[in-house]
Amino acid sequence: MPSTNSAVKDIYCSKCDARYEINKVLNLCKCGGPLLLDYDYEAAAERMTKAVLAAREFTMWRYLEVLPVLDCDNVVNLGEGGTSLLPSTGIGPQLGLASLYFKDETTNPTGSFKARGLAMAVSRAKELGLDRLIIPTAGNAGSAVAAYAARAGLRCKVIAPKDVPEPFTVDCVYHGAEVELVEGSIKDCGTRAAQLVEDEGWFSVATLKEPYRIEGKKTMGYELAEQFDFQLPDVIIYPTGGGTGLVGMWKAFDEMEKLGWIDGFRPRMVSVQAEGCAPIPRAFEQGIEHAAEWQNPSTVAAGLKVPSAVGDFLMLRAIRESNGTAVAVSDDELMIWTKHLAAREGIFSSPEGGASVACLKKLVEFGFVKSTDKVVVFITGSGYKYLDVLK
Ligand SMILES: *Cc1c(COP(=O)(O)O)cnc(C)c1O
């Protein structure tokens, strides 16, 4: 069996001092904290030099030494990652910004950046001999886990809210997943999934409730560094739900410093949410460590309708340590900018990407973003599955 040469060491808790062996099947730490992966960065740096890296295929699997899969045969790959970093042609000049870029995640398999995290989680599930995966989802995560589970030959169950746009469940069914629709928000789906874990023994791959999705999402940080020739941008704007992308990139920057690839400079990390469900901006303003649950969440940006997140404190920590901020935008604003993205940049985005750009406009007005700042806005998903919302 060909080894990936992964330099993974063990698993540690983000809250307490607990450490776990890499081959243990784990969800959360026994203290309830999300689990993260640790690596031997010296060994990784020796094997994965910048020159070695440059010769590899541009997908997220080019960073194998700092990814947790041990055996190449367990890598479940549909070509995820390696997405374009597009310089803005219309919106940047309009807002007076000299260096605005879009990280275009719409081109990932299954139409969103959820592919990165779930490719990793499914690969590790296969490696650990798990064969039944369950996920609570607002849409994109379900599509992604269903596709990767199909490719790996694993069973899969997707729990989504009743009002999930139909295209998200059509592809799940085509991939052979069982789909169950639940009254309420993703929070209620999480409760139902937890019950099925208890009653029927499924393995949950809910956001940050297993250690591997974040390892897939962190590759966005590695890619950005490479695409900017290891000079990180000044500001990163990211539409946040469960927060794996934000927390994952923040982890990636620390890792790259340990690898000797970058210095201590860090982008200011900005979390965007919708006014109808904004627990992170509210907690950020209140200066508190954990975000209280948002009551009666409502927004067309389904991926942002996450009323409470197990990794809230990790998001808030990254935002604060980076001197970033957290902003809520209205559904009207995010829909307008979703249109502008299509009309002025040629990017057909889901509403979450529109939220990022709506946020950018506000930050320019506030003076948080300066005209000379190098800014990256994440366009996290494609508009094609949201036609009902967009038309
Ligand atoms: C899930 C999702 C988000 C939120 O991502 P997190 O990493 O969970 O914060 C944003 N945009 C889209 C399109 C999504 O599907």
Side-chain angles (χ1 to χ4, degrees):
M1 294 218 178
S3 163
T4 57
N5 269 329
S6 169
V8 69
K9 223 165 54 182
D10 59 4
I11 304 177
Y12 65 99
C13 177
S14 57
K15 272 195 175 152
C16 71
D17 290 334
R19 290 224 163 224
Y20 300 90
E21 277 177 51
I22 184 68
N23 285 323
K24 238 177 128 97
V25 174
L26 296 161
N27 288 109
L28 292 169
C29 178
K30 50 187 182 306
C31 82
L35 294 171
L36 301 173
L37 273 282
D38 197 9
Y39 296 81
D40 178 344
Y41 294 100
E42 224 168 284
E46 263 172 42
R47 292 175 215 152
M48 184 174 53
T49 61
K50 285 182 184 174
V52 165
L53 198 60
R56 292 183 181 172
E57 194 185 332
F58 197 50
T59 77
M60 73 172 206
W61 297 104
R62 69 201 261 104
Y63 311 106
L64 269 183
E65 283 82 353
V66 286
L67 297 177
V69 182
L70 303 178
D71 186 327
C72 291
D73 291 343
N74 292 325
V75 171
V76 185
N77 185 347
L78 288 165
E80 47 285 346
T83 58
S84 300
L85 183 67
L86 303 170
S88 170
T89 53
I91 292 172
Q94 178 195 346
L95 297 178
L97 299 175
S99 308
L100 173 62
Y101 297 84
F102 299 105
K103 183 70 170 154
D104 181 10
E105 293 289 309
T106 68
T107 56
N108 275 301
T110 72
S112 87
F113 69 164
K114 290 287 193 308
R116 295 178 186 260
L118 286 151
M120 196 63 67
V122 171
S123 296
R124 277 297 286 166
K126 184 179 172 197
E127 190 150 82
L128 291 168
L130 301 169
D131 56 3
R132 301 192 316 149
L133 308 180
I134 193 166
I135 198 163
T137 178
N140 277 316
S143 297
V145 71
Y148 290 98
R151 194 161 177 86
L154 312 183
R155 272 183 71 192
C156 173
K157 192 165 186 133
V158 171
I159 315 287
K162 275 222 166 78
D163 61 1
V164 68
E166 200 181 11
F168 289 108
T169 51
V170 174
D171 64 357
C172 287
V173 171
Y174 262 69
H175 290 309
E178 295 165 46
V179 176
E180 187 178 317
L181 299 182
V182 167
E183 203 71 58
S185 77
I186 189 170
K187 171 119 183 130
D188 304 287
C189 299
T191 307
R192 174 66 182 149
Q195 186 194 332
L196 289 169
V197 166
E198 192 81 359
D199 295 351
E200 299 178 2
W202 296 83
F203 181 77
S204 172
V205 288
T207 297
L208 280 171
K209 290 191 178 164
E210 56 76 54
Y212 299 110
R213 282 174 66 180
I214 181 174
E215 293 297 299
K217 286 271 193 88
K218 82 179 182 189
T219 59
M220 297 189 294
Y222 278 87
E223 285 180 21
L224 271 189
E226 274 202 276
Q227 288 172 313
F228 281 127
D229 204 16
F230 300 98
Q231 303 292 312
L232 294 180
D234 298 300
V235 180
I236 292 178
I237 303 182
Y238 178 88
T240 345
T244 38
L246 191 93
V247 176
M249 283 191 278
W250 194 242
K251 180 171 190 271
F253 299 149
D254 272 352
E255 292 186 349
M256 284 188 285
E257 190 174 351
K258 287 182 187 144
L259 292 169
W261 291 1
I262 60 170
D263 57 19
F265 177 82
R266 293 289 182 275
R268 284 172 276 152
M269 306 296 283
V270 179
S271 155
V272 191
Q273 294 195 313
E275 281 177 2
C277 183
I280 298 300
R282 184 175 63 185
F284 178 76
E285 258 160 48
Q286 293 170 340
I288 53 181
E289 197 188 340
H290 284 277
E293 182 179 339
W294 192 273
Q295 299 302 322
N296 306 314
S298 133
T299 169
V300 293
L304 308 186
K305 213 160 119 184
V306 182
S308 67
V310 62
D312 56 357
F313 67 103
L314 295 173
M315 281 187 257
L316 287 160
R317 196 182 292 164
I319 294 164
R320 291 186 177 121
E321 281 180 9
S322 73
N323 293 313
T325 187
V327 176
V329 299
S330 72
D331 274 18
D332 283 349
E333 289 169 313
L334 66 87
M335 287 302 288
I336 287 170
W337 287 96
T338 305
K339 276 191 187 151
H340 290 339
L341 268 173
R344 296 179 195 166
E345 302 283 351
I347 302 171
F348 189 52
S349 165
S350 68
E352 294 85 355
S356 290
V357 191
C359 167
L360 170 66
K361 177 170 183 281
K362 288 192 164 178
L363 293 178
V364 171
E365 284 166 5
F366 298 159
F368 181 93
V369 168
K370 307 266 184 307
S371 60
T372 52
D373 280 339
K374 188 158 86 178
V375 182
V376 173
V377 170
F378 270 82
I379 310 301
T380 46
S382 153
Y384 288 110
K385 288 188 182 171
Y386 292 78
L387 293 180
D388 274 351
V389 178
L390 297 180
K391 75 186 178 196

